[in-house]
Amino acid sequence: MKPTEFVKVNGQLWGEHLKGVAGHLPVSHRTELPGPMLFPRMMVLTETPDWNILELVGLSREYRTLEVRRQKLASVEEYFGLRPGAGEGDPVMSLPGENLFKDATIATTAGRQALEDRFPTAANVLGEVYAGPGDELLRFEPGNYSTFDRTLLVHTAGDSLRVHWVNFAIAIHRSEPADRYLDFLQTYSNARPHLDPIGTLSLPVDPAVLRADAFESTYLAHGLQDSTVEQFLDKHEEILLSVFGATKLVREPALGDLHPDFILERADGSHVVGRLELPVVDTTNGKKRRRVFRTPVQESAAELAKYAEYFATADNRAQVKSKYDVEVTDPRQLLIVPSQETVTPAAGVEVVDYDTILRLHLS
């Protein structure tokens, strides 16, 4: 299938499908659904030399015409945050031919343990768990389809961690023709329960939670460009506390000349120091400046390493204790990224995107 065909087929198919679902289920079957029905907000279409990749991202309280992002990447491994040079080491899951993961978690052994230790709400979204001691999470082999339907991907590389919840994604080998792709999706969609249509999510949560500004601001980039770090943290405090099992949020602490975006104090006494890799506004000496990242993970990881080094000194820890009433030793280093970003783990850093944080919160 040529990339132009891939774009055309997905553009027509998903718009018709989701619009039909939105006009029917939340109206005719509202009382039969577990809770409010959520829809994707953006369709990311990625072209690589051997694979076409579709991913539906974002969580919206109502159906809106999908925004479309097209991009080219060097490989399917790059898209899924895998190491270049596939074939080295052992994967948790090899993916020859046709593969389906639905309501599942794919994790390295270390990643599975990290979920349990670091994200207390993750137990509610694990589903069927595929975990193993592999050096790599996935290995794509020649074949047609690999489908990730509401699947949590947990990458680890040494002491780094990348957690990404996938609403719906398909990697399709370029050799597959458009008509067979359409047949595959229609067959898969028809096999789903009527009240659980492909690409959507219905959760038993209070609808009032979904009306909050904090939920709206997770529409990937919508509204974030005009938000300051302080405003973002104000809206998301409850979400961050619940997802990380924390009891206290310290906003924009000053560590000498260093300025992390926040510190979380967890119920177990440990701490998380974090940065927002966002298009938000920084305010310095009364002037506003939007954040721009050329190599986002690498830049933020370097800053996070400085914060960790700062807390290695007893005098620095004492100053922070006196000023913010938190006693920080060996904090976790957290980077929050936009959901549509393609990133790989960074040494010593946890990388989590907005959709994953929101999904863990709503669980």
Side-chain angles (χ1 to χ4, degrees):
M1 186 184 344
K2 295 179 180 178
T4 52
E5 294 178 303
F6 185 63
V7 172
K8 182 179 180 180
V9 168
N10 282 296
Q12 294 175 344
L13 185 147
W14 291 105
E16 294 175 1
H17 167 70
L18 294 171
K19 185 177 181 180
V21 169
H24 171 55
L25 287 183
V27 178
S28 303
H29 297 275
R30 180 177 65 254
T31 59
E32 301 170 63
L33 296 171
M37 177 164 280
L38 306 180
F39 294 85
R41 192 68 186 89
M42 178 182 287
M43 177 167 59
V44 180
L45 301 172
T46 303
E47 171 192 347
T48 79
D50 298 314
W51 298 81
N52 291 319
I53 306 164
L54 158 81
E55 185 171 2
L56 303 177
V57 297
L59 291 173
S60 173
R61 296 168 301 162
E62 57 191 22
Y63 168 72
R64 302 181 184 185
T65 300
L66 291 174
E67 296 184 23
V68 179
R69 175 181 177 181
R70 295 182 60 183
Q71 62 184 8
K72 292 183 179 180
L73 293 177
S75 67
V76 67
E77 288 80 16
E78 180 182 354
Y79 184 85
F80 283 95
L82 307 175
R83 293 177 303 173
E88 300 177 2
D90 297 320
V92 174
M93 297 298 301
S94 293
L95 304 175
E98 190 172 306
N99 310 275
L100 168 63
F101 302 95
K102 182 178 182 297
D103 294 318
T105 295
I106 307 174
T108 61
T109 301
R112 174 66 183 87
Q113 185 62 49
L115 282 178
E116 183 176 331
D117 295 341
R118 306 180 190 185
F119 300 91
T121 62
N124 300 322
V125 300
L126 291 179
E128 187 171 2
V129 177
Y130 302 85
D135 302 304
E136 192 59 91
L137 194 65
L138 305 170
R139 178 177 297 161
F140 290 87
E141 300 181 5
N144 295 325
Y145 300 97
S146 288
T147 303
F148 305 90
D149 190 343
R150 298 192 306 227
T151 300
L152 191 64
L153 303 177
V154 187
H155 302 255
T156 51
D159 57 357
S160 64
L161 179 72
R162 165 72 166 125
V163 183
H164 175 52
W165 182 75
V166 178
N167 184 2
F168 188 81
I170 303 180
I172 311 161
H173 200 267
R174 290 277 297 272
S175 63
E176 193 72 353
D179 57 349
R180 288 189 60 184
Y181 170 53
L182 269 174
D183 288 343
F184 170 83
L185 276 181
Q186 289 167 352
T187 300
Y188 182 57
S189 180
N190 291 337
R192 290 282 288 265
H194 180 64
L195 298 180
D196 186 23
I198 188 173
T200 67
L201 178 67
S202 186
L203 297 172
V205 298
D206 184 347
V209 173
L210 306 183
R211 287 196 292 269
D213 288 343
F215 182 84
E216 291 187 3
S217 70
T218 60
Y219 288 166
L220 306 180
H222 292 262
L224 288 178
Q225 292 91 336
D226 300 320
S227 175
T228 64
V229 172
E230 181 179 6
Q231 290 169 340
F232 178 86
L233 293 174
D234 283 343
K235 291 180 178 180
H236 288 265
E237 179 173 3
E238 181 182 350
I239 294 175
L240 293 172
L241 291 176
S242 74
V243 170
F244 294 94
T247 58
K248 183 175 183 178
L249 171 68
V250 180
R251 298 169 176 80
E252 300 183 272
L255 311 181
D257 294 331
L258 303 175
H259 299 278
D261 291 326
F262 61 87
I263 295 174
L264 287 168
E265 183 169 71
R266 302 184 71 216
D268 63 5
S270 64
H271 295 84
V272 180
V273 60
R275 278 180 61 85
L276 304 174
E277 186 186 295
L278 301 173
V280 293
V281 174
D282 280 325
T283 302
T284 306
N285 297 326
K287 296 182 179 180
K288 294 183 177 181
R289 177 176 60 85
R290 299 190 193 281
R291 292 189 174 183
V292 178
F293 298 88
R294 293 183 180 178
T295 56
V297 174
Q298 290 80 1
E299 290 179 25
S300 290
E303 286 297 307
L304 287 165
K306 294 178 183 178
Y307 307 154
E309 184 179 353
Y310 177 89
F311 286 114
T313 302
D315 286 347
N316 292 339
R317 294 196 299 271
Q319 290 179 21
V320 172
K321 169 65 174 175
S322 174
K323 191 172 183 180
Y324 301 107
D325 194 27
V326 288
E327 194 165 348
V328 183
T329 302
D330 192 24
R332 288 162 50 185
Q333 302 171 47
L334 173 69
L335 178 59
I336 300 179
V337 300
S339 304
Q340 72 271 30
E341 289 294 327
T342 299
V343 301
T344 55
V349 174
E350 299 172 23
V351 182
V352 187
D353 56 83
Y354 297 129
D355 284 359
T356 300
I357 287 175
L358 183 61
R359 179 67 186 94
L360 293 173
H361 173 66
L362 295 176
S363 66

